[in-house]
Amino acid sequence: GIQVEQSPPDLILQEGANSTLRCNFSDSVNNLQWFHQNPWGQLINLFYIPSGTKQNGRLSATTVATERYSLLYISSSQTTDSGVYFCAVNRDDKIIFGKGTRLHILP
Amino acid sequence: DAGITQSPRHKVTETGTPVTLRCHQTENHRYMYWYRQDPGHGLRLIHYSYGVKDTDKGEVSDGYSVSRSKTEDFLLTLESATSSQTSVYFCAISRGLADNEQFFGPGTRLTVL
């Protein structure tokens, strides 16, 4: 089946820093989503981005479907950005999640 | 807010007992999903439904069954709970076809002793 790899697995940054999270997938997909799981366990939708680039405030995402990767950019990090970031791809009615990037923003 | 609730939110049970988790949605969406989340594995799909009485297996379906008798409710049943089923269970909905955006419920933390 399709494989989804996220990197880095862990990231520790100072408040105000920028970061780039990567999601690689092994085959063509119908769509791709980015989620943030906050420290309370809630899964929050960030982007639905099968291709192209989207921006929402300090966050932006780019998916290059032909090269099978997506990037999530976080600028001017805040402590509230801490948590785990997941990408998930959809193919043939099945959703496959990566194992996530754990981000810790230090005050 | 996609109007998804899960019940119970927390449950502790003993090995061998049956357990049913409920997912309820208020917006009449066709697709509903059950996932489990475990350390080191991320989220894994257990079962999903694409309509009333229409369900299919995900990648970790062994030991679980599901039912959907109404559009708004999707039930996950552990017929005889085992300690390996200790996990956090998330329900999700998709507002359109299966390749549309998914939204998640708050989760249920299940502990099997």
Side-chain angles (χ1 to χ4, degrees):
Chain A
I2 192 166
Q3 304 296 315
V4 181
E5 300 287 337
Q6 290 188 243
S7 60
D10 297 280
L11 190 57
I12 301 174
L13 297 172
Q14 206 70 38
E15 195 169 27
N18 302 328
S19 59
T20 300
L21 283 56
R22 188 177 181 101
C23 174
N24 292 334
F25 43 97
S26 60
D27 206 342
S28 61
V29 298
N30 300 116
N31 69 58
L32 184 145
Q33 288 186 248
W34 282 98
F35 297 91
H36 174 214
Q37 188 169 37
N38 64 23
W40 296 270
Q42 184 182 7
L43 282 158
I44 300 163
N45 289 46
L46 297 178
F47 294 102
Y48 172 70
I49 184 168
S51 63
T53 297
K54 291 186 177 180
Q55 180 152 9
N56 185 3
R58 296 181 296 104
L59 274 62
S60 64
T62 296
T63 296
V64 184
T66 53
E67 298 187 22
R68 299 177 186 166
Y69 73 89
S70 183
L71 302 174
L72 177 68
Y73 306 94
I74 305 173
S75 64
S76 304
S77 297
Q78 301 175 357
T79 56
T80 52
D81 294 330
S82 294
V84 183
Y85 290 80
F86 291 102
C87 72
V89 301
N90 179 305
R91 176 170 170 153
D92 300 331
D93 280 0
K94 299 292 173 62
I95 316 296
I96 308 297
F97 276 75
K99 294 186 178 181
T101 292
R102 184 173 296 277
L103 178 64
H104 188 56
I105 305 298
L106 302 173
Chain B
D1 183 2
I4 309 168
T5 58
Q6 293 184 230
S7 58
R9 293 293 314 280
H10 303 271
K11 186 172 182 65
V12 179
T13 191
E14 295 188 348
T15 297
T17 61
V19 176
T20 296
L21 308 183
R22 179 179 182 241
C23 177
H24 179 78
Q25 58 144 331
T26 60
E27 300 188 7
N28 204 36
H29 300 306
R30 181 180 174 192
Y31 284 81
M32 299 184 76
Y33 309 81
W34 277 108
Y35 293 87
R36 60 179 289 174
Q37 184 176 27
D38 305 290
H41 291 280
L43 281 91
R44 293 179 292 174
L45 182 65
I46 305 172
H47 282 279
Y48 68 101
S49 169
Y50 47 96
V52 173
K53 295 188 175 16
D54 294 322
T55 65
D56 203 352
K57 296 179 179 180
E59 64 178 301
V60 289
S61 59
D62 288 347
Y64 301 94
S65 62
V66 290
S67 65
R68 193 169 178 199
S69 58
K70 299 185 292 184
T71 298
E72 59 266 34
D73 289 327
F74 192 32
L75 304 181
L76 177 71
T77 297
L78 292 64
E79 300 290 348
S80 178
T82 67
S83 58
S84 65
Q85 293 176 311
T86 292
S87 187
V88 180
Y89 291 86
F90 285 96
C91 173
I93 61 96
S94 176
R95 289 180 166 173
L97 295 175
D99 60 351
N100 275 4
E101 189 172 5
Q102 287 202 335
F103 294 84
F104 282 81
T108 294
R109 183 173 295 276
L110 176 66
T111 302
V112 184
L113 302 177

